[in-house]
Amino acid sequence: YHQEKFPEAINVYLWSLKLCPQNRNNLYINYLIGASYQKTGNISRARACFEQALHLLPKPSDKIDKVIPLSGSLPVQLGDSLYKNKDYKAAAEVYNKVLKLPGLKDMAPWMIYQLARSYQKQGLKKEARKAYRELLSQTNDPFWKDLAQVWLD
């Protein structure tokens, strides 16, 4: 995947699922398969993999280091991939879940902004405005404050 040989990456990941069936419950592998499908243009398979990964997202009570051993930002990447694939409802679900997880505070402004945008794309103006107001209250960074304010005006 990281070498941008996406068809080969898909084959390797699928082979790993056959070799080690427990990998079907690995959030990281499901995400990478989905991202590889996305890069090859196979959006329907990408969505199926992202949905599987979505079901594997940790609960706030889970120990993140055991659930996501390779990347703490993986749930955020999952939300971003769903958003990019225009699956705004699923993206909003991911961002809402991830915002409740410990240890990802530095990514909170991005997640809240993307949550608001996901709501906007679904036509959920009330929820979007609430998220933008949340963004205003959660940061002192002028960049994020300006972004939120422009959508609230």
Side-chain angles (χ1 to χ4, degrees), residues 21-49:
Q22 68 269 24
N23 283 343
R24 293 189 189 285
N25 295 322
N26 184 302
L27 172 61
Y28 189 68
I29 290 175
N30 280 282
Y31 168 76
L32 287 175
I33 295 170
S36 296
Y37 277 127
Q38 177 183 350
K39 296 288 187 177
T40 64
N42 192 335
I43 302 304
S44 62
R45 288 207 175 177
R47 282 191 178 146
C49 293

Side-chain angles (χ1 to χ4, degrees), residues 7 26 42 101 108 115-116 118 133 142:
N26 184 302
N42 192 335
L101 296 175
L115 174 62
S118 296
R133 284 192 297 275

Side-chain angles (χ1 to χ4, degrees), residues 23-142:
N23 283 343
R24 293 189 189 285
N25 295 322
N26 184 302
L27 172 61
Y28 189 68
I29 290 175
N30 280 282
Y31 168 76
L32 287 175
I33 295 170
S36 296
Y37 277 127
Q38 177 183 350
K39 296 288 187 177
T40 64
N42 192 335
I43 302 304
S44 62
R45 288 207 175 177
R47 282 191 178 146
C49 293
F50 291 153
E51 284 295 319
Q52 176 65 16
L54 179 60
H55 293 296
L56 297 170
L57 269 177
K59 313 291 183 277
S61 60
D62 290 345
K63 290 187 177 180
I64 292 178
D65 60 329
K66 289 188 177 181
V67 179
I68 311 170
L70 299 176
S71 174
S73 66
L74 182 61
V76 180
Q77 295 170 14
L78 175 59
D80 292 348
S81 292
L82 290 164
Y83 184 92
K84 185 176 180 180
N85 278 314
K86 299 180 182 180
D87 193 345
Y88 304 117
K89 184 176 179 180
E93 184 180 336
V94 169
Y95 293 127
N96 269 316
K97 285 183 179 183
V98 174
L99 282 165
K100 296 174 186 166
L101 296 175
L104 298 174
K105 293 281 185 200
D106 58 327
M107 301 178 101
W110 171 255
M111 291 185 289
I112 296 168
Y113 177 74
Q114 285 296 94
L115 174 62
R117 297 287 294 145
S118 296
Y119 285 143
Q120 270 186 297
K121 295 287 188 174
Q122 295 176 75
L124 302 171
K125 293 178 183 178
K126 183 178 176 183
E127 290 84 348
R129 292 183 65 75
K130 181 179 176 185
Y132 286 125
R133 284 192 297 275
E134 176 72 14
L135 180 56
L136 282 174
S137 73
Q138 292 292 318
T139 186
N140 291 321
D141 186 321

